[in-house]
Amino acid sequence: MVLTRAAKASRSKLLRPLTTSLSSTSSSLRRPFSSTTDDQTVLSIETSIPFTGHKVDPPSRIVETTPKELMGFFCDMALMRRMEIAADSLYKAKLIRGFCHLYDGQEAVAVGMEAAITKKDAIITAYRDHCTFLARGGNLLEVFSELMGRTTGCSKGKGGSMHFYKKEQGFFGGHGIVGAQVPLGCGLAFAQKFNKEGTVTFASYGDGAANQGQLFEALNIAALWDLPAILVCENNHYGMGTAEWRAAKSPSYYKRGDYVPGLKVDGMDVLAVKQACKFAKEYALKNGPLILEMDTYRYHGHSMSDPGSTYRTRDEISGVRQERDPIERVRKLILSHELASEKELKDIEKNVRKEVDDAIAKAKESPMPDPSEMFTNIYVKGYGVEAFGPDKKEMRAVLP
């Protein structure tokens, strides 16, 4: 059975048609998710648009998934969306200070990537990192505590929005310096190859970082040494407030590697992201680096200081929401296969809101770091500045 939805007329070059092919071989797929449906039954679904390859044959558009995975995608992306909306409110209430870059709209990239790899694979990204951290196994308390500078945060309240980290789950951070995470990611890939781990590193960056010289230097040495590095350009079409066409002579970022193959992916389609990342991992382990360009979109401005509406129209933003929203795409798939009812999905979203609110309440109760923590995690153990004495006001410095 094939269900096809005609593409709506695009109001912007950022809008893409949503044409979905759903295949099933058993009437059991039509039963609601809350009933006795086998949640491991295989569904074959066609991606919204074809992949476009550069010096590589693209993977198949037909992606295999299961009812359980689709429901998981919906829950995870709904949680991420609500988390980012809550962070917006906390920032405006001045409970979050400093920089804060939100990911709502781009959730399919983090969720689809995670579905294709394991925690032994590494991910490193820029400063729009909250949802990637959550996808890697972080929890809401760690997120909101870190955003509000509390000790229960993933970086003990000292990193803030841009510096989430979870090494034990293969997440090597958000990084505040534009493009600087890409050479680090290639270094992680070098270690993986040197140690014969059979794993890969995904180094994500935005289109605003795509012209950085260090990116090309790192890509060159990764290609020379056939490192299992996958460079992921999350192209949300605006580097801060600058449209891609104003900043890049060639905004076809998947072709930017020249001698390194690339693949353009609909980054608003979680199944397309999953398929592309699975393909990229298999390719990189055999052949070396690959570039993935995720065609995605952010609903918020670049950061909380950017209203996000001075360099693009509100019609453009609402058009993407209506035609390409990653959560709505999965919702339509679930409903068309009758894996859950509209009410069940709304109940999930209601529970998500409660989960987020509970995590915020717990984070607010968490303590701020002790002032002596200012001097920890700077030098290796045994070096640096140490605060001691009954009131921790005496300092002792040992430098390497």
Side-chain angles (χ1 to χ4, degrees), residues 48 87 100 132 262 273 281 365 399:
S48 53
C100 186
T132 307
V273 175
K281 178 176 177 177
E365 294 172 358
L399 299 178

Side-chain angles (χ1 to χ4, degrees), residues 1 17 19 24 40 62 81 119 131 135 169 175 201 220 238 256 271 273 276 283 299 328 343 348 354 368 375 382 389:
M1 178 186 68
T19 304
S24 64
Q40 294 301 325
I62 305 300
R81 180 71 57 86
K119 294 296 190 293
C131 293
Q169 298 281 8
H175 290 265
T201 293
N220 178 65
Y238 295 95
R256 287 289 199 88
L271 290 170
V273 175
Y283 179 93
Y299 295 149
E328 293 308 309
K343 181 182 182 304
I348 289 172
K354 183 179 185 305
M368 294 287 187
F375 306 108

Side-chain angles (χ1 to χ4, degrees), residues 30 135 191 230 237 245 255 263 320 349:
R30 307 302 300 172
I230 299 154
H237 302 279
W245 60 269
K255 296 181 179 179
L263 194 67
V320 175
E349 291 173 313

